[in-house]
Every structure is written in C-alpha cells, then in structure tokens.
Amino acid sequence: MMEAEMDARSQVAAEGGEGGRSVFVKPQRLVTLKFEEVVYKIRINAAPDKKGGKDYAIRKTKSAERTILEGVSGAVLPGEMMALLGPSGSGKTTLLTALGGRLARPGRQLTGLITYNDRPFSNALNRNMGFVTQDDVLYPHLTVSDTLVYTALLRLPGSLSRQEKVAQAEAVMSELGLTACRNSIIGGPMIRGVSGGERKRVSIGQEMLINPSILFLDEPTSGLDSTIAARIVSTLLNLTNAGRTVIMTIHQPSSRIFYMFHKVLLLADGHPIYYGRASDATDYFSTIGYAPSVPVNPADFLLDLANGVSPDETHDDQLDTREALISAYKVHLHDKVVEELREVTKQYKESEPDKLRNEWCTSWWEQFRVLLERGLKERKHESFSGLKIGQVTATSLLGGLLWFRSGGHVQDQVGLLFFMLGFWIFFPVFNAIFTFPQERMMLTKERASRMYRLSSYFMARTAGDLPMELLLPTISITITYWMGGLNPVAANYFMFLFVTLLTVLVSQGFGLALGALFMDTKKATTLASVILLCFMLAGGYYVQHVPAFISWIKYITLSFYAFKLQIATQFSLADTYQCTPDVRCSIQNYPIINAIGFDHKALAAVALFLMLLLYRLAAYLGLMRVGALH
C-alpha cells in the first residue's frame, strides 16, 4: 500500500503544473490545524402530534436538538492534504465549514477546540486562508481573466503593483490550464459559458491567488469526469509541496485520487470511524474484521462501511455495523489520535509563532475603484438592455401622445405630472429590490474571505447604478415633457428634471432598503406594492380632503413632497386658469394645487434629501445584519 501511494503521488507530481513545479512560492506562514472533540448541534422544531390531544399545543412549541458532529478529532500539518470522506449527511461539509471558521449562526452550538498553530481563528488568519465552496459562486458575464484579475486586485496586498497582481492571475491561469478559455465568459444557468470543470478551476484559482497557508475545499471534484478530477486534485497535491495545509471533502474519489491523500477522516452519522493515513485504511478495517472480499476501490469500500454495508452482512444489519465501527474507533484509534494531538501541540510550542497582521490588503479607495470597475463590466448588459430601454421609451412616448400639447388644461397637466411621478417611483423601486438578494451569495462568499469592506462594496454598488438610474429618467422626461406641452421655459424644465432625478434616487434607496432588510424578493415586492400604493393615495392627487385622523400620513410619503416640488416647477402664484368661460382664477385656487400648496418648498426638498440618506442607511444596516448571520 505504501509503495502504491508513493507511486501515485510521484506520477501526479510529474503531471501537475509545468514540469511538476508549482509557480507559487512558499506561503508566508505555515499553519498546523488541530481539532479536538468537535461537537456540533442544531436546534430544530419537534414535529407536532397531528392527532391533537390536550398536549398538542405544548408539543407543537417544543424544540429538539440534533447532533451533526460527535467528538471528531484530528490534525493536519503543513505539507499534508487530508480528505473528509463519508456518505451524504455524515457531517463532512459541516466539519469543513467549522474548521474554516464559517460556522457561526444563531440556533446552533459548536463545542470543542479548533486551533491554527495553537491559536483560535482570527480575521488575520482568515486573510491567509482559502475556502472553495461546493457551488461555484461567480459572476456569469465576466470572463475567466476578468474574474481572476479582479480577485487578485482585491485580495493581494497593496504592496504589489497592479501589473504584479495581474501577473499573479496569469500564473494561476497557466497553473490550472485556463489559458485557452481566458477570454470566455463564466456563464450560468441561462448563459452559455465555460465548462463545469473550467468553472471549478476558476473557483479554486480565486483562492490560490493569495498564496494561502491553508486551503479548504468542499467537493472540488463534484460533477467532473475522472480525468479532470485527477488533474485538480494533483494540482492541490502540488500545493502541499511548498508547505500548505489542504483539507477537502470529496465524494467517491477514484483509487488514483484516493492515494494522493496523506490523511483520511471517515465519518458516519457525524461519528469518526477512521482517522489516519490513506494507505493504512483498508488494513485497519481488515484487522477489526471488515476486509474487502474482492479487489475494490478503497474509497468505495470505506463509503460502504460508513453506510453500514459490510462485505459479509446483509442490508438489515446497517445500524449494527455502524455502531460496531464507532465502538472500534473508540477502542483502537481514539487514544492514538489523542496522543498525536499531544505531540503536535508539544512540537509547535517549541517554536515561536509569527504574528499575522490584522489589516485589510488594500485601501478603501482601491476597493471602491476595483468593485466599481467590476460592477460596471458585469452589469452593463443589464443596465443597457434593450428590453429596459424599450420599456421606458415606449411608456414615455405613450404618455407624450396621450397628453400631447396639453398646455392650458390644468387638470391634464397636473395629471401628467402625477403620472410621471408615479412611474419614476415604481420603476426604480422594483428594479432596486432585486439588487442585494441577487448578490447575496457572492457578497457572503467574498465578505467571508474579507476581500473588502462592506462600506466600499455598498458605495461602489450604489455609484455603479447611477449612470443608468439617471440616464433613463432624463431621456424619458425629455420625451414626455416637451410632447406633453408642459412649461416651455428651459429653467422650469431643468428644475423639473432635477426634482424627478432626486425622486428616482430616493425611490431607489427605498427599494435597496427593502431588498437588504428582507433578502427575499417575494416578501420585499409584496410589501413595496402595499407601501407605494399608500404613498400614491396620500400624494395629494387622488384625495384632497383627507380625514384629519389619517392626514398625517402624507408627511411621511415620498410622493407628497415630490408632487409639491413638481407643481412648483410648473406653476407660480402669478399664474391663472380659466375657471369659468368668462373668468380666470388664480392657479392657487385650483383644488389639487390648493391642497398641495406653494409653501414650504424648501422643507419638501429637505425632506427628500433626508429620505435619500435614511433609506440608504437602512439598506446598509440590512447588509450588516446579513453579514452578521454568516
């Protein structure tokens, strides 16, 4: 077994990289990962007794605990690659997430000791750690080169120049065999892009860019053919040659891949049933009476045992088999693991650990600039989509035709003002609601890696939306304003345009706040519909004589202040209208305008600016809350 293992590693080392030599230098810090008696439980709602009864209400409110991990221990040293094996639901992904410092959520309890160089998890360590999730969370419209270059610009230290960071991204592409597809977009469910194997290598490349001391991977070979899977694992094996620590979960690896691992931890229902060298696994189980009856892939054999299927027992004995293996681990391996952990701790304490600096890799401004550039490139297809432009243009032309040259008809002009106001409240709100929920997975992934500050992301995302948020309303207002026969004086047009653009920004902030606070587009859009309907009804156009007990609602609505300013841009106290065939009356006596009034215009403008700030502050706080849950 030992000779087979060494031959396999020698073979893959010769195949990986350029001549088997990694382009990556030794990491700044070598990390020894140690975990002792890790237990993880979650609280779940107990299933109520649907038959009812006097205790039904009590049982319905009870909660129960479910144990996901039970007393798992082990250690991974620099230069080692360990695989977490086990059937679905065995807890291997949960363990990997816990070891990567990403398992802090309400309603869950993690106990035991997890240390890195005999120290607890820290943000400084997190920046020297790579974590590849099972699902490839990537921007679909960026190319492979764009994805890696922007990651390098954000995650590599500011001491490196832009050219050096780009060169590192190029080296990663070469190492992972991505040069041929460097200019292909990533793609997604509805967009054709690179293959699944190439997408997985891009995800790994993003973490390899920082030259990590320790690398975690969740199912890096999932959905890949055996050749591509072996190539990826061999590349990861090459990373350990420079002293990196690599831990991964993997499902049914081939025998060739299995012998690449230095260590294997096998889980069954959250319990460890084997921990040790990969080459010693089958020998261990043979000594306790579970020898394979025919030559078989050792990984398949181990997974059969973890599922409770032994070579000479029937399907009905699965539970007994698992219990026997759990007991055997406690008898034969547990003390050895404890002794190994003791030796690891003793050896590490003999050396003086270096301190990692707890600071951001790049400045706030650099993060903002890179995120803005990346966001504009990713979303230009959406912002400048023909569908959105066509929607706005068609609505503007229709409004212009329906109110064509309506000047002189006060009712029609006021109706046109309120129509444009309503459209440019609803349109930005329902566009903005989807902003943060759609990027939640990406934001969670990148923030967990501490790629950038939340404030730099928020400001870059907001600034990146401004061009289209301001350009489309400008085009729309220009079309409808002049076709509808509104006040033809240029100053009035620009004042009206300014009020509309301010309203758009406030509406967008309202949509961003709802999306960030709920992170559920269905709930957010439903609530937005109800609130905006209240805004429009209280805006002063539909109802002028509002009962006193509910009239206060107009003072918290966006539409009331915006409508007041719109009217002020089109009419003045000196204007008159034809109130009877022979008499002209002051415009301030017109019912709708009289209800709105020409007074307190400065206060209305201040109210809109305050809403602009408060809504965006609420959106930012909502994003902070989301980050706190991960």
Side-chain angles (χ1 to χ4, degrees), residues 238-260:
N238 286 335
L239 292 177
T240 64
N241 294 334
R244 291 175 186 81
T245 307
V246 178
I247 306 98
M248 73 175 73
T249 64
I250 192 166
H251 186 68
Q252 282 191 307
S254 65
S255 57
R256 180 188 181 195
I257 293 177
F258 181 82
Y259 285 115
M260 297 182 196

Side-chain angles (χ1 to χ4, degrees), residues 382-569:
E382 178 183 346
S383 299
F384 296 94
S385 67
L387 182 62
K388 184 178 290 187
I389 295 174
Q391 177 186 6
V392 171
T393 304
T395 304
S396 304
L397 288 173
L398 179 61
L401 291 172
L402 289 174
W403 277 276
F404 190 68
R405 295 183 179 179
S406 63
H409 303 282
V410 178
Q411 177 62 41
D412 288 348
Q413 287 188 314
V414 173
L416 177 57
L417 295 180
F418 202 74
F419 163 74
M420 288 191 286
L421 173 65
F423 182 78
W424 286 112
I425 288 179
F426 276 83
F427 188 81
V429 165
F430 285 100
N431 278 331
I433 279 176
F434 293 88
T435 298
F436 295 128
Q438 287 179 340
E439 292 202 355
R440 178 175 185 171
M441 293 181 64
M442 180 65 71
L443 179 62
T444 300
K445 168 193 169 184
E446 295 184 336
R447 286 281 296 155
S449 300
R450 297 186 64 81
M451 288 177 61
Y452 45 74
R453 300 168 178 86
L454 182 61
S455 58
S456 61
Y457 164 81
F458 183 78
M459 294 303 296
R461 190 66 172 86
T462 304
D465 289 337
L466 284 180
M468 208 57 184
E469 289 293 338
L470 300 181
L471 178 61
L472 277 180
T474 302
I475 295 173
S476 173
I477 294 302
T478 302
I479 293 173
T480 309
Y481 189 95
W482 299 107
M483 289 182 66
L486 295 176
N487 197 321
V489 179
N492 295 79
Y493 161 75
F494 284 111
M495 285 190 296
F496 181 82
L497 179 62
F498 174 78
V499 171
T500 304
L501 295 181
L502 177 59
T503 304
V504 167
L505 293 179
V506 176
S507 301
Q508 184 201 31
F510 178 69
L512 291 174
L514 287 180
L517 291 170
F518 287 93
M519 282 295 173
D520 184 317
T521 54
K522 186 175 181 179
K523 292 180 181 178
T525 52
T526 301
L527 183 61
S529 300
V530 175
I531 294 177
L532 291 181
L533 179 61
C534 295
F535 281 5
M536 301 309 291
L537 291 176
Y541 178 77
Y542 295 112
V543 185
Q544 288 85 52
H545 305 288
V546 181
F549 70 89
I550 200 174
S551 60
W552 57 268
I553 196 173
K554 65 182 180 181
Y555 296 112
I556 62 171
T557 61
L558 158 65
S559 54
F560 172 75
Y561 298 109
F563 193 36
K564 176 187 281 288
L565 293 177
Q566 280 189 337
I567 288 177
T569 66

Side-chain angles (χ1 to χ4, degrees), residues 139-144 181 183-196 198-199:
Y139 283 115
H141 293 89
L142 294 182
T143 65
V144 170
C181 62
N183 295 320
S184 301
I185 64 170
I186 298 296
M190 306 298 294
I191 307 167
R192 187 172 183 177
V194 297
S195 66
E198 291 167 333
R199 190 177 296 114

Side-chain angles (χ1 to χ4, degrees), residues 56 67 86 176 197 202 216 223 277 303 315 364 404 427-428 480 519 600 611:
Y56 172 76
T67 301
L176 295 177
V202 172
F216 299 91
R277 298 180 61 86
L303 288 175
H315 182 77
W364 188 96
F404 190 68
F427 188 81
T480 309
M519 282 295 173
H600 305 304
M611 289 182 181

Side-chain angles (χ1 to χ4, degrees), residues 31 65 72 284 302 430 453 510 622 625:
V31 174
E65 278 192 341
V72 183
Y284 163 74
L302 297 185
F430 285 100
R453 300 168 178 86
F510 178 69
R625 172 180 167 273

Side-chain angles (χ1 to χ4, degrees), residues 539-604:
Y541 178 77
Y542 295 112
V543 185
Q544 288 85 52
H545 305 288
V546 181
F549 70 89
I550 200 174
S551 60
W552 57 268
I553 196 173
K554 65 182 180 181
Y555 296 112
I556 62 171
T557 61
L558 158 65
S559 54
F560 172 75
Y561 298 109
F563 193 36
K564 176 187 281 288
L565 293 177
Q566 280 189 337
I567 288 177
T569 66
Q570 299 300 303
F571 306 102
S572 66
L573 291 174
D575 293 334
T576 61
Y577 75 102
Q578 199 76 37
C579 53
T580 67
D582 300 323
V583 179
R584 295 189 67 84
C585 302
S586 174
I587 196 70
Q588 65 179 333
N589 294 327
Y590 193 80
I592 296 177
I593 297 179
N594 181 57
I596 297 297
F598 287 101
D599 56 343
H600 305 304
K601 290 179 288 188
L603 184 61

